[in-house]
Short mmCIF file of all heavy atoms in Angstrom, two decimals:
data_model
loop_
_atom_site.label_atom_id
_atom_site.label_comp_id
_atom_site.label_asym_id
_atom_site.label_seq_id
_atom_site.Cartn_x
_atom_site.Cartn_y
_atom_site.Cartn_z
N PRO J 1 -5.14 -4.10 1.06
CA PRO J 1 -4.08 -3.91 2.05
C PRO J 1 -4.68 -3.56 3.40
O PRO J 1 -5.61 -2.75 3.48
CB PRO J 1 -3.27 -2.73 1.50
CG PRO J 1 -3.66 -2.63 0.06
CD PRO J 1 -5.05 -3.13 -0.04
N ALA J 2 -4.16 -4.17 4.45
CA ALA J 2 -4.67 -3.89 5.79
C ALA J 2 -3.82 -2.81 6.45
O ALA J 2 -2.90 -2.25 5.85
CB ALA J 2 -4.66 -5.17 6.61
N ALA J 3 -4.14 -2.52 7.71
CA ALA J 3 -3.38 -1.57 8.53
C ALA J 3 -3.24 -0.20 7.86
O ALA J 3 -2.22 0.45 7.96
CB ALA J 3 -2.00 -2.14 8.85
N ASN J 4 -4.29 0.22 7.14
CA ASN J 4 -4.32 1.54 6.52
C ASN J 4 -3.18 1.74 5.52
O ASN J 4 -2.66 2.84 5.36
CB ASN J 4 -4.28 2.64 7.58
CG ASN J 4 -4.81 3.97 7.07
OD1 ASN J 4 -5.60 4.01 6.13
ND2 ASN J 4 -4.38 5.05 7.67
N LEU J 5 -2.82 0.68 4.82
CA LEU J 5 -1.73 0.76 3.84
C LEU J 5 -2.24 0.98 2.42
O LEU J 5 -1.43 1.08 1.50
CB LEU J 5 -0.86 -0.51 3.89
CG LEU J 5 0.08 -0.62 5.08
CD1 LEU J 5 0.79 -1.96 5.07
CD2 LEU J 5 1.10 0.52 5.07
N ALA J 6 -3.54 1.04 2.21
CA ALA J 6 -4.07 1.22 0.86
C ALA J 6 -3.51 2.48 0.18
O ALA J 6 -3.13 2.42 -1.00
CB ALA J 6 -5.59 1.25 0.87
N PRO J 7 -3.41 3.64 0.86
CA PRO J 7 -2.84 4.80 0.19
C PRO J 7 -1.41 4.58 -0.29
O PRO J 7 -1.02 5.06 -1.36
CB PRO J 7 -2.89 5.90 1.27
CG PRO J 7 -4.02 5.48 2.16
CD PRO J 7 -3.94 3.98 2.20
N PHE J 8 -0.63 3.84 0.50
CA PHE J 8 0.75 3.55 0.10
C PHE J 8 0.78 2.68 -1.15
O PHE J 8 1.57 2.91 -2.07
CB PHE J 8 1.49 2.86 1.24
CG PHE J 8 2.92 2.50 0.93
CD1 PHE J 8 3.88 3.48 0.79
CD2 PHE J 8 3.28 1.18 0.74
CE1 PHE J 8 5.20 3.15 0.49
CE2 PHE J 8 4.59 0.84 0.44
CZ PHE J 8 5.55 1.83 0.31
N VAL J 9 -0.11 1.69 -1.20
CA VAL J 9 -0.14 0.80 -2.36
C VAL J 9 -0.62 1.57 -3.60
O VAL J 9 -0.08 1.37 -4.70
CB VAL J 9 -1.03 -0.42 -2.08
CG1 VAL J 9 -1.15 -1.29 -3.32
CG2 VAL J 9 -0.47 -1.22 -0.92
N VAL J 10 -1.60 2.44 -3.44
CA VAL J 10 -2.05 3.26 -4.58
C VAL J 10 -0.90 4.14 -5.07
O VAL J 10 -0.70 4.32 -6.28
CB VAL J 10 -3.27 4.11 -4.19
CG1 VAL J 10 -3.61 5.09 -5.31
CG2 VAL J 10 -4.48 3.20 -3.93
N GLY J 11 -0.11 4.67 -4.14
CA GLY J 11 1.07 5.44 -4.53
C GLY J 11 2.04 4.60 -5.33
O GLY J 11 2.62 5.08 -6.33
N LEU J 12 2.24 3.35 -4.94
CA LEU J 12 3.12 2.46 -5.70
C LEU J 12 2.57 2.19 -7.09
O LEU J 12 3.34 2.03 -8.05
CB LEU J 12 3.31 1.13 -4.95
CG LEU J 12 4.14 1.19 -3.67
CD1 LEU J 12 4.22 -0.21 -3.04
CD2 LEU J 12 5.55 1.71 -3.94
N VAL J 13 1.25 2.13 -7.20
CA VAL J 13 0.64 1.97 -8.53
C VAL J 13 1.04 3.13 -9.43
O VAL J 13 1.40 2.94 -10.60
CB VAL J 13 -0.90 1.88 -8.41
CG1 VAL J 13 -1.55 2.00 -9.79
CG2 VAL J 13 -1.31 0.58 -7.73
N VAL J 14 0.99 4.35 -8.90
CA VAL J 14 1.36 5.53 -9.69
C VAL J 14 2.84 5.51 -10.03
O VAL J 14 3.24 5.87 -11.15
CB VAL J 14 0.98 6.82 -8.94
CG1 VAL J 14 1.49 8.05 -9.67
CG2 VAL J 14 -0.54 6.90 -8.78
N VAL J 15 3.69 5.08 -9.10
CA VAL J 15 5.12 4.93 -9.41
C VAL J 15 5.31 3.96 -10.57
O VAL J 15 6.06 4.23 -11.52
CB VAL J 15 5.90 4.44 -8.17
CG1 VAL J 15 7.36 4.12 -8.55
CG2 VAL J 15 5.88 5.49 -7.07
N ALA J 16 4.63 2.82 -10.50
CA ALA J 16 4.77 1.81 -11.55
C ALA J 16 4.29 2.33 -12.90
O ALA J 16 4.92 2.08 -13.93
CB ALA J 16 4.00 0.55 -11.15
N ILE J 17 3.16 3.04 -12.91
CA ILE J 17 2.66 3.61 -14.16
C ILE J 17 3.66 4.61 -14.71
O ILE J 17 3.94 4.65 -15.91
CB ILE J 17 1.27 4.26 -13.95
CG1 ILE J 17 0.22 3.17 -13.68
CG2 ILE J 17 0.87 5.08 -15.19
CD1 ILE J 17 -1.14 3.72 -13.28
N GLY J 18 4.23 5.43 -13.83
CA GLY J 18 5.23 6.40 -14.28
C GLY J 18 6.45 5.75 -14.88
O GLY J 18 7.02 6.24 -15.86
N MET J 19 6.87 4.63 -14.31
CA MET J 19 8.07 3.96 -14.80
C MET J 19 7.81 3.16 -16.08
O MET J 19 8.72 2.97 -16.89
CB MET J 19 8.64 3.04 -13.71
CG MET J 19 9.26 3.80 -12.56
SD MET J 19 10.04 2.70 -11.36
CE MET J 19 10.92 3.91 -10.34
N ALA J 20 6.57 2.71 -16.26
CA ALA J 20 6.27 1.86 -17.42
C ALA J 20 5.48 2.57 -18.51
O ALA J 20 5.51 2.13 -19.66
CB ALA J 20 5.49 0.62 -16.96
N TRP J 21 4.79 3.66 -18.17
CA TRP J 21 3.88 4.30 -19.12
C TRP J 21 4.08 5.82 -19.15
O TRP J 21 3.13 6.57 -19.33
CB TRP J 21 2.42 3.98 -18.77
CG TRP J 21 2.10 2.54 -18.97
CD1 TRP J 21 2.26 1.52 -18.09
CD2 TRP J 21 1.60 1.94 -20.18
NE1 TRP J 21 1.88 0.33 -18.64
CE2 TRP J 21 1.47 0.56 -19.93
CE3 TRP J 21 1.25 2.44 -21.43
CZ2 TRP J 21 1.02 -0.33 -20.89
CZ3 TRP J 21 0.78 1.55 -22.39
CH2 TRP J 21 0.67 0.18 -22.11
N GLY J 22 5.32 6.26 -19.00
CA GLY J 22 5.58 7.69 -18.95
C GLY J 22 6.12 8.30 -20.22
O GLY J 22 6.31 9.51 -20.29
N THR J 23 6.35 7.49 -21.26
CA THR J 23 7.04 7.98 -22.46
C THR J 23 6.12 8.76 -23.40
O THR J 23 6.48 9.86 -23.85
CB THR J 23 7.66 6.80 -23.23
OG1 THR J 23 8.67 6.21 -22.41
CG2 THR J 23 8.29 7.27 -24.53
N ASN J 24 4.97 8.23 -23.70
CA ASN J 24 4.14 8.79 -24.78
C ASN J 24 3.39 10.06 -24.42
O ASN J 24 3.06 10.84 -25.32
CB ASN J 24 3.14 7.74 -25.26
CG ASN J 24 3.78 6.74 -26.19
OD1 ASN J 24 4.99 6.73 -26.37
ND2 ASN J 24 2.98 5.88 -26.79
N ALA J 25 3.08 10.26 -23.13
CA ALA J 25 2.27 11.42 -22.78
C ALA J 25 2.50 11.92 -21.36
O ALA J 25 1.70 12.68 -20.84
CB ALA J 25 0.79 11.10 -22.98
N GLY J 26 3.57 11.47 -20.72
CA GLY J 26 3.89 11.98 -19.41
C GLY J 26 2.98 11.53 -18.28
O GLY J 26 2.97 12.12 -17.21
N TYR J 27 2.20 10.50 -18.50
CA TYR J 27 1.27 9.89 -17.53
C TYR J 27 0.52 10.90 -16.66
O TYR J 27 0.48 10.83 -15.46
CB TYR J 27 1.96 8.80 -16.70
CG TYR J 27 3.00 9.18 -15.65
CD1 TYR J 27 2.70 9.14 -14.30
CD2 TYR J 27 4.30 9.53 -16.03
CE1 TYR J 27 3.64 9.45 -13.33
CE2 TYR J 27 5.25 9.85 -15.09
CZ TYR J 27 4.92 9.80 -13.73
OH TYR J 27 5.86 10.11 -12.77
N ALA J 28 -0.20 11.80 -17.33
CA ALA J 28 -1.09 12.69 -16.57
C ALA J 28 -2.13 11.87 -15.81
O ALA J 28 -2.33 12.06 -14.61
CB ALA J 28 -1.79 13.68 -17.51
N ILE J 29 -2.83 10.99 -16.52
CA ILE J 29 -3.85 10.07 -15.97
C ILE J 29 -4.79 10.75 -14.97
O ILE J 29 -5.34 10.09 -14.09
CB ILE J 29 -3.23 8.79 -15.37
CG1 ILE J 29 -2.20 9.10 -14.28
CG2 ILE J 29 -2.60 7.94 -16.47
CD1 ILE J 29 -1.63 7.86 -13.58
N ASN J 30 -4.98 12.06 -15.13
CA ASN J 30 -5.75 12.84 -14.16
C ASN J 30 -6.03 14.21 -14.76
O ASN J 30 -5.11 15.02 -14.89
CB ASN J 30 -4.93 12.97 -12.87
CG ASN J 30 -5.65 13.75 -11.78
OD1 ASN J 30 -6.57 14.53 -12.04
ND2 ASN J 30 -5.21 13.57 -10.56
N PRO J 31 -7.27 14.49 -15.13
CA PRO J 31 -7.58 15.80 -15.74
C PRO J 31 -7.22 16.99 -14.85
O PRO J 31 -6.73 18.01 -15.35
CB PRO J 31 -9.09 15.72 -15.98
CG PRO J 31 -9.37 14.26 -16.14
CD PRO J 31 -8.44 13.59 -15.17
N ALA J 32 -7.47 16.88 -13.54
CA ALA J 32 -7.17 18.01 -12.64
C ALA J 32 -5.67 18.23 -12.55
O ALA J 32 -5.20 19.37 -12.52
CB ALA J 32 -7.75 17.74 -11.25
N ARG J 33 -4.91 17.15 -12.50
CA ARG J 33 -3.46 17.24 -12.40
C ARG J 33 -2.88 18.01 -13.59
O ARG J 33 -1.88 18.72 -13.46
CB ARG J 33 -2.84 15.84 -12.34
CG ARG J 33 -1.32 15.79 -12.52
CD ARG J 33 -0.95 15.54 -13.98
NE ARG J 33 0.49 15.62 -14.24
CZ ARG J 33 1.17 16.72 -14.51
NH1 ARG J 33 0.56 17.90 -14.51
NH2 ARG J 33 2.45 16.69 -14.77
N ASP J 34 -3.48 17.86 -14.76
CA ASP J 34 -2.95 18.53 -15.94
C ASP J 34 -3.54 19.91 -16.15
O ASP J 34 -2.81 20.87 -16.39
CB ASP J 34 -3.20 17.67 -17.19
CG ASP J 34 -2.37 18.13 -18.37
OD1 ASP J 34 -1.21 17.70 -18.48
OD2 ASP J 34 -2.87 18.95 -19.17
N PHE J 35 -4.86 20.04 -16.04
CA PHE J 35 -5.48 21.32 -16.38
C PHE J 35 -5.16 22.41 -15.36
O PHE J 35 -4.90 23.56 -15.74
CB PHE J 35 -7.00 21.16 -16.50
CG PHE J 35 -7.69 22.43 -16.93
CD1 PHE J 35 -7.67 22.83 -18.26
CD2 PHE J 35 -8.32 23.25 -16.00
CE1 PHE J 35 -8.28 24.01 -18.67
CE2 PHE J 35 -8.94 24.43 -16.40
CZ PHE J 35 -8.90 24.82 -17.74
N GLY J 36 -5.20 22.09 -14.08
CA GLY J 36 -4.91 23.09 -13.06
C GLY J 36 -3.53 23.71 -13.22
O GLY J 36 -3.39 24.94 -13.33
N PRO J 37 -2.47 22.90 -13.28
CA PRO J 37 -1.13 23.45 -13.51
C PRO J 37 -0.97 24.10 -14.89
O PRO J 37 -0.23 25.07 -15.04
CB PRO J 37 -0.22 22.24 -13.36
CG PRO J 37 -0.96 21.34 -12.43
CD PRO J 37 -2.41 21.50 -12.83
#
């Protein structure tokens, strides 16, 4: 993505994973996101 839109597209990737892969384990997909909280 051009015009500094890569962060926005990565955010959309996480939205899509949440909508499609959120049932079995809550889509932590990130050790820091889960362990810290």
Side-chain angles (χ1 to χ4, degrees):
N4 201 25
L5 285 175
F8 179 70
V9 176
V10 172
L12 289 180
V13 168
V14 173
V15 172
I17 291 172
M19 289 185 170
W21 293 87
T23 296
N24 281 8
Y27 71 105
I29 56 176
N30 180 339
R33 168 267 174 274
D34 195 86
F35 184 78

